[in-house]
Amino acid sequence: MIQKGVCVYPGSFDPVTNGHLDLIERATQVFPRVIVAVLNNPGKQGFFPVEERVRLLAKACAHLPKVEIDSFQGLLVDYMKKVNAGIVIRGLRAVTDFESEFLMAQVNHQISPEIETLFMMTSPQFAYISSSVVREIGGFGGEIASFVPGSILEDISTALKKAR
Ligand code: PNS
């Protein structure tokens, strides 16, 4: 039975940012259980290996007992059914996010109407942050301390510096 109280926050999290963490923390104020699920897409490798993204998320969310970190392959709605979760949450930073998010929510609704997608507005102080901005700035040796959680700043900076 799909549990409406259980929510999944899916994404690439390559790597997790302060914007993601803000949304995860706020989701724990609304839902009793929050599963953060990293897409493992064999067709799109990304910068951080999926296992490392999961490890970074777990470290950044260590203070949040309601949060579980996982990864998934394939369709999000299939994963939702596997973990019996009824709600997908996604963050909206700006109008530019809307079109793709709207499309994704509608596709997911079409194939699995029992699953709801809910959107949370990114807190304004994080609206400009994205994983790609973190990779770009950090990759050129720039300061990313205000972009990523302090607990994983060293891990991310070191990995980005190594790749330079
Ligand atoms: O952080 P991202 O890259 O914006 O996350 C996108 C994600 C992982 C939520 C989305 O690509 C996804 O759910 N992929 C799984 C495949 C799927 O279910 N596709 C159908 C919806 S269009």
Side-chain angles (χ1 to χ4, degrees):
M1 227 272 285
I2 291 223
Q3 296 173 57
K4 287 286 180 203
V6 179
C7 82
V8 169
Y9 178 25
S12 302
F13 304 104
D14 189 25
V16 57
T17 68
N18 279 336
H20 294 131
L21 185 59
D22 171 62
L23 203 113
I24 295 167
E25 284 171 345
R26 286 162 52 210
T28 65
Q29 305 296 311
V30 183
F31 300 100
R33 196 173 151 221
V34 177
I35 304 171
V36 182
V38 181
L39 175 65
N40 187 352
N41 183 353
K44 192 179 156 212
Q45 218 191 343
F47 178 80
F48 289 93
V50 170
E51 311 77 59
E52 178 63 357
R53 295 183 218 172
V54 167
R55 190 188 72 82
L56 292 172
L57 271 160
K59 203 169 166 186
C61 297
H63 61 299
L64 300 168
K66 291 179 185 174
V67 174
E68 295 156 42
I69 316 296
D70 197 4
S71 63
F72 73 103
Q73 281 196 353
L75 289 180
L76 174 61
V77 292
D78 289 341
Y79 174 74
M80 298 291 293
K81 286 169 198 164
K82 190 183 130 204
V83 295
N84 294 322
I87 296 167
V88 175
I89 57 160
R90 293 282 290 168
L92 285 178
R93 282 167 302 191
V95 170
T96 42
D97 283 341
F98 181 79
E99 203 171 318
S100 56
E101 293 298 332
F102 184 62
L103 184 94
M104 197 159 67
Q106 289 205 314
V107 169
N108 286 336
H109 181 78
Q110 180 63 32
I111 53 180
S112 272
E114 69 278 23
I115 291 166
E116 285 294 346
T117 303
L118 302 181
F119 294 99
M120 292 174 75
M121 296 301 158
T122 299
S123 298
Q125 67 270 34
F126 302 125
Y128 62 90
I129 301 179
S130 65
S131 298
S132 56
V133 162
V134 168
R135 294 194 306 269
E136 173 98 6
I137 307 283
F140 286 113
E143 186 52 73
I144 54 167
S146 60
F147 295 15
V148 298
S151 56
I152 54 171
L153 171 63
E154 197 62 40
D155 304 69
I156 294 175
S157 304
T158 307
L160 288 170
K161 270 178 203 151
K162 259 192 203 157
R164 280 167 71 191

